[in-house]
Amino acid sequence: MEWTVESVEPQLGRFVLSHADGQVESRSIRWLINHPDAQMAKEVKAHDGSGHGTQPRAVADLTPEQRSRARIRAEHVLEAMTGFRSGHPSRAQPGEPRPAYDPDRTTLTERRLVKVAELKAMPPQEAEMLGLRFMSLRTLERLSSATGESLLLACADGRWTRRSGGHRSITEEVREAIFAVKKECKDRARIGTAAKHRLLHQYMKEKFPQFPTEKIPSRTTLWRVWHEWFGPGGGRQRYERSADEAEEAGVARRVVVHRPGQVLALDSTPMPVKLRETVFGDAVTATLTLALDLYSHSLPAFRLTLQSDTSVDIAMLLRDVMLPLPMREGWGEEMQWPYPGIPADVIAEFTGCGVAALPFFAPETVTTDHGSPYKNHDLVDAESALGCNILPARALRASDKFAVERAFSSIKTLLFEHLLGFTGTDVADRGADPEGDAVFTLARMEHLIASWIVQVWQNRKLGEYAPAWGPGEDHSPNSLFAAAMLQGGFSLQIPGPELYYKVLRKHHVKIHPRRGVKILGLWYHAEVLDEPRYRLPSDRGGKHAGKWVVRSDRRDRRQVFFQDPVVHDTWHVLRWNGLPPEGEIPAFSDTTAANLLAYVKEHKLGPRSDKELLPVLLEILNSATPVSQWPTQPQKRERAARSRESSRAQAAAADWGGHRAAEPAAWSEQSRTVAKAVDATRRQRREAAQLGEPVAPPLLVDSLRHRRLFLLPDRPDEDGDDTSEEHG
């Protein structure tokens, strides 16, 4: 806490302290002198009032030319002091000492006077060039107290390394304007110095209208000040903003890696070599996923997947980091476990097989980019199950994973460029037919990369990646890992086979008595689910109370895995319902199952309930027995009544001697409706039978030529018959 001395009472031997929050205390001077944290104040040298101190200059601050000129001056001083230009008789040059500087015959003062006379006799241009024109006796006496580098710096011209005087045009108002422009430019697009200079003028004009315009710094001065205060500013705007946000949030600290497995970097990239699925298959592109230990730069695991990788592949990659790599066919004894402290026989006893020379450990922190497989919730759950801390890299900031990015480039230049089917970095650099040159299958390429990592990468000398505790030593990933084992030991933890199930995706489901469990649209069953203990809900509580946990591998949807609730080391395999014996159905992934379910849904092939089938049933009933034909409907009774009336009229006409009977009103309306429908049908048929374009109606002029427009017809007579004649 910081306190302020308000007053001192020496006659009473006490003083009064006050704090910013208003707290006041009175203490004795004896308490202050005997306080354990009290220290003597250090002597502070006075400065020139420039506001900042300057570190002492060194010989490295001089240029090679300036260093040579200062060394010539120092040689003259040493010759006046000792008689030898090197300063010691053991390093005497030919002809030394000269008679005038012989220490056995002359005194120090005589030698200095001779040196002053010699320098004055030098040509003016040479003396001016070397800075010896004004060297006097007093100067030689003053320089006699310096030796070594101090003498060299004393002979150097002070103007060469003088302190920067700053910029007098940068006043408090201009300084405020520069910082305001800097803050404004952070959220804008990147602009040049000229635009910043105009913004500076705008700010000064609006905020300080009385400030003289001619005293505002020029664009060159602004560029120099900007470079001195904020650096060259060569970064991208998005990176500058993210760095400022990280600094404001307090997370811009450096991560110091000092042991293997502390930080593991993961990344994926399309492999620049065309592969074949089988020996006679088509050429395909694979994805290479690497796991790089940032301490030793070892590659403890990698994965090759066709097309893009998934969260399951990355989870299995983390599992491979924790497991030792077994020896493969064709690997000799030079590729076996070589690290000290733990013999290879001990590890082979735990694993049951020989172990290759590749480190394995439990990763503590995993850093990845923001690709969709790395942000998947299943991978996050798997990393949590393995006990890993997740440290995502900043978006669009490759420098956070520079080590693994550098590893991809090294593998390309050291291995992939020498293989057939290499596609190059860019499409323009691609060969004539890389697909035709592809000869490696996926399994063969995986074996080749594993052999190259164990034999070449792990034993290759690291250049600028040497550790801090051995900057001048030569190290490889294997030697760094061995040194870490000797310094901090090695925890031999080989996970069991159940680690495979822990990194799989979890599903909380209920068990159907006859059908089993439903996982992502598919039903799975096994005989173990028929036991009475699985007919009841699970004893689990919490968010998924009453449900069972089933894990699935999205790379193969033919089966899922169920952990026994009593014996936790036992995992039951639940196969897809209706699946024939093993070996008859090929494996299908999560993508294939999703496409299958989408196809079934699109073509309406899936099972549907009675509610979903109701529209189809209504269409069938409407075509068979429409509502209008129901006996109980009113229209049906009206048609029956009209039929009875028609039959009665026909009987009456026969009884009356064949006279035509009057039609009922309803029947006449129905006959007119039928006639209109027949006419409409005939008109549609004629229009459909016409060929070519439709004929336009006649013009009004043509119609006036056939009849008179203003001729009125005669009035009809009383009987209602129209007796008017037609006039043409």
Side-chain angles (χ1 to χ4, degrees):
M1 298 175 62
E2 183 178 353
W3 296 79
T4 303
V5 180
E6 290 290 344
S7 62
V8 180
E9 301 175 352
Q11 69 278 9
L12 301 177
R14 65 185 182 186
F15 56 91
V16 180
L17 300 176
S18 64
H19 193 257
D21 57 359
Q23 184 179 359
V24 179
E25 292 187 5
S26 178
R27 297 287 183 176
S28 64
I29 297 178
R30 177 177 295 182
W31 170 85
L32 177 62
I33 295 175
N34 297 313
H35 197 279
D37 295 336
Q39 298 179 1
M40 296 295 295
K42 297 181 180 180
E43 182 181 359
V44 180
K45 296 182 179 180
H47 53 82
D48 56 358
S50 59
H52 61 280
T54 304
Q55 294 178 336
R57 60 178 183 171
V59 179
D61 297 332
L62 303 176
T63 63
E65 181 184 358
Q66 295 171 352
R67 195 178 299 116
S68 301
R69 294 166 64 183
R71 186 173 292 108
I72 294 175
R73 298 179 188 178
E75 289 178 355
H76 284 282
V77 175
L78 291 176
E79 187 177 16
M81 292 175 55
T82 62
F84 302 91
R85 297 181 68 91
S86 61
H88 198 273
S90 62
R91 298 188 296 271
Q93 298 180 6
E96 290 186 343
R98 292 187 291 175
Y101 298 98
D102 190 353
D104 297 335
R105 301 178 182 180
T106 58
T107 62
L108 179 59
T109 303
E110 293 176 348
R111 292 193 296 271
R112 288 173 177 171
L113 293 175
V114 173
K115 178 59 68 174
V116 172
E118 180 185 351
L119 296 179
K120 288 183 178 180
M122 290 181 63
Q125 186 176 1
E126 183 179 352
E128 183 72 22
M129 184 66 183
L130 296 176
L132 302 174
R133 181 179 178 183
F134 301 102
M135 184 171 286
S136 61
L137 179 62
R138 182 68 183 89
T139 304
L140 293 175
E141 293 176 353
R142 180 175 54 84
L143 296 177
S144 299
S145 60
T147 58
E149 287 191 0
S150 300
L151 177 60
L152 194 63
L153 290 174
C155 293
D157 194 338
R159 294 172 295 183
W160 297 344
T161 56
R162 65 180 179 182
R163 178 186 301 175
S164 176
H167 304 275
R168 291 178 294 178
S169 59
I170 305 300
T171 61
E172 290 296 330
E173 296 84 359
V174 175
R175 183 178 184 275
E176 178 185 344
I178 292 176
F179 276 94
V181 173
K182 175 67 169 61
K183 185 177 180 180
E184 179 66 21
C185 292
K186 183 182 70 172
D187 297 330
R188 290 192 181 188
R190 187 175 183 178
I191 60 178
T193 307
K196 297 175 184 176
H197 189 250
R198 299 187 189 100
L199 293 178
L200 177 65
H201 273 267
Q202 178 185 359
Y203 187 89
M204 295 295 296
K205 182 179 180 180
E206 296 182 5
K207 294 293 183 180
F208 308 102
Q210 304 299 330
F211 194 89
T213 307
E214 61 273 7
K215 292 187 177 182
I216 298 178
S218 63
R219 184 173 63 182
T220 305
T221 305
L222 176 63
W223 179 86
R224 291 178 179 175
V225 171
W226 197 284
H227 191 278
E228 293 174 3
W229 291 2
F230 312 118
R236 301 286 186 177
Q237 286 295 102
R238 66 177 74 175
Y239 301 156
E240 297 289 345
R241 287 192 292 267
S242 61
D244 293 341
E245 293 173 359
E247 185 175 358
E248 293 175 359
V251 296
R253 296 174 295 177
R254 295 179 60 87
V255 178
V256 180
V257 183
H258 54 84
R259 61 180 178 273
Q262 183 180 0
V263 179
L264 189 73
L266 304 181
D267 200 3
S268 304
T269 186
M271 196 172 65
V273 177
K274 289 292 184 178
L275 304 179
R276 296 190 181 276
E277 299 182 24
T278 58
V279 178
F280 301 102
D282 297 332
V284 295
T285 301
T287 299
L288 175 63
T289 306
L290 288 182
L292 179 74
D293 176 36
L294 291 186
Y295 176 79
S296 62
H297 290 265
S298 300
L299 296 176
F302 72 96
R303 283 269 168 166
L304 276 182
T305 54
L306 291 179
Q307 300 303 326
S308 60
D309 53 351
T310 60
S311 58
V312 180
D313 299 318
I314 301 173
M316 293 303 163
L317 179 69
L318 293 176
R319 172 176 171 266
D320 295 341
V321 173
M322 305 175 63
L323 295 175
L325 179 64
M327 293 288 292
R328 300 189 179 187
E329 183 180 357
W331 289 3
E333 297 181 356
E334 70 280 358
M335 301 177 66
Q336 290 185 353
W337 178 269
Y339 305 106
I342 301 180
D345 298 339
V346 176
I347 300 181
E349 183 179 354
F350 279 92
T351 59
C353 60
V355 179
L358 194 65
F360 65 94
F361 43 76
E364 302 177 18
T365 302
V366 177
T367 176
T368 63
D369 57 10
H370 295 265
S372 57
Y374 297 100
K375 296 191 299 183
N376 192 284
H377 295 287
D378 299 333
L379 178 60
V380 175
D381 294 341
E383 291 171 343
S384 301
L386 297 177
C388 302
N389 300 319
I390 304 174
L391 181 65
R394 289 173 292 181
L396 301 175
R397 191 67 66 89
S399 58
D400 291 353
K401 304 185 289 73
F402 71 96
V404 68
E405 299 289 350
R406 185 73 175 269
F408 281 125
S409 178
S410 301
I411 295 175
K412 184 187 70 173
T413 57
L414 296 175
L415 177 63
F416 291 153
E417 287 184 355
H418 305 85
L419 303 179
L420 293 176
F422 178 67
T423 58
T425 305
D426 191 80
V427 179
D429 299 332
R430 185 166 296 183
D433 187 14
E435 290 81 4
D437 296 338
V439 295
F440 291 94
T441 61
L442 191 67
R444 186 181 175 188
M445 178 58 70
E446 195 273 339
H447 181 79
L448 176 63
I449 296 177
S451 303
W452 181 84
I453 289 177
V454 174
Q455 284 188 303
V456 179
W457 179 267
Q458 291 297 125
N459 298 286
R460 189 170 180 268
K461 175 183 174 181
L462 297 175
E464 62 272 22
Y465 294 117
W469 44 265
E473 303 175 3
D474 295 335
H475 284 282
S476 66
N478 276 343
S479 65
L480 286 177
F481 185 74
M485 292 179 62
L486 293 177
Q487 292 175 357
F490 181 72
S491 178
L492 183 59
Q493 296 180 356
I494 301 178
E498 64 274 4
L499 180 63
Y500 166 75
Y501 305 103
K502 291 183 179 181
V503 298
L504 296 179
R505 181 178 181 180
K506 288 194 292 187
H507 306 271
H508 299 85
V509 296
K510 293 183 178 181
I511 299 179
H512 193 273
R514 294 178 301 276
R515 305 181 67 178
V517 296
K518 187 177 183 180
I519 306 296
L520 300 176
L522 301 180
W523 288 90
Y524 297 87
H525 185 267
E527 295 181 358
V528 66
L529 298 183
D530 296 334
E531 298 181 5
R533 57 176 176 169
Y534 298 123
R535 297 179 182 177
L536 300 176
S538 174
D539 297 335
R540 297 172 60 92
K543 180 180 179 181
H544 304 285
K547 295 184 179 181
W548 302 88
V549 179
V550 179
R551 297 181 181 268
S552 66
D553 190 343
R554 59 182 301 180
R555 298 171 300 177
D556 190 355
R557 293 289 305 278
R558 292 178 296 180
Q559 66 274 331
V560 295
F561 306 97
F562 176 71
Q563 187 178 17
D564 194 281
V566 179
V567 185
H568 293 171
D569 295 338
T570 303
W571 291 81
H572 304 286
V573 179
L574 310 181
R575 304 185 71 230
W576 184 25
N577 286 359
L579 197 66
E582 297 183 5
E584 296 186 8
I585 294 295
F588 61 96
S589 63
D590 194 8
T591 304
T592 306
N595 294 337
L596 172 62
L597 296 177
Y599 181 83
V600 169
K601 182 179 180 180
E602 180 182 357
H603 292 77
K604 302 178 181 181
L605 300 177
R608 291 184 287 178
S609 61
D610 294 340
K611 183 178 180 180
E612 296 174 342
L613 294 175
L614 179 60
V616 181
L617 179 61
L618 293 179
E619 293 180 1
I620 297 175
L621 295 178
N622 189 26
S623 61
T625 56
V627 179
S628 59
Q629 297 183 5
W630 290 3
T632 57
Q633 294 300 313
Q635 294 85 354
K636 182 68 174 179
R637 292 194 298 268
E638 291 178 0
R639 289 197 298 269
R642 288 197 296 269
S643 300
R644 287 194 298 270
E645 291 178 358
S646 177
S647 60
R648 289 174 183 177
Q650 292 177 2
D655 294 338
W656 293 343
H659 295 283
R660 184 170 177 265
E663 294 182 357
W667 180 258
S668 61
E669 294 178 0
Q670 185 177 6
S671 63
R672 285 195 297 269
T673 302
V674 173
K676 292 180 180 179
V678 172
D679 294 341
T681 303
R682 290 176 178 176
R683 183 172 61 254
Q684 293 177 358
R685 291 180 179 179
R686 287 195 302 269
E687 293 176 355
Q690 289 180 354
L691 298 178
E693 298 181 356
V695 180
L699 298 177
L700 182 60
V701 178
D702 299 336
S703 61
L704 294 177
R705 295 175 181 176
H706 295 82
R707 64 184 180 89
R708 297 179 181 178
L709 183 62
F710 300 99
L711 183 62
L712 298 178
D714 296 338
R715 181 176 297 177
D717 55 1
E718 296 179 357
D719 296 336
D721 297 334
D722 190 1
T723 57
S724 62
E725 297 180 0
E726 183 179 359
H727 299 275

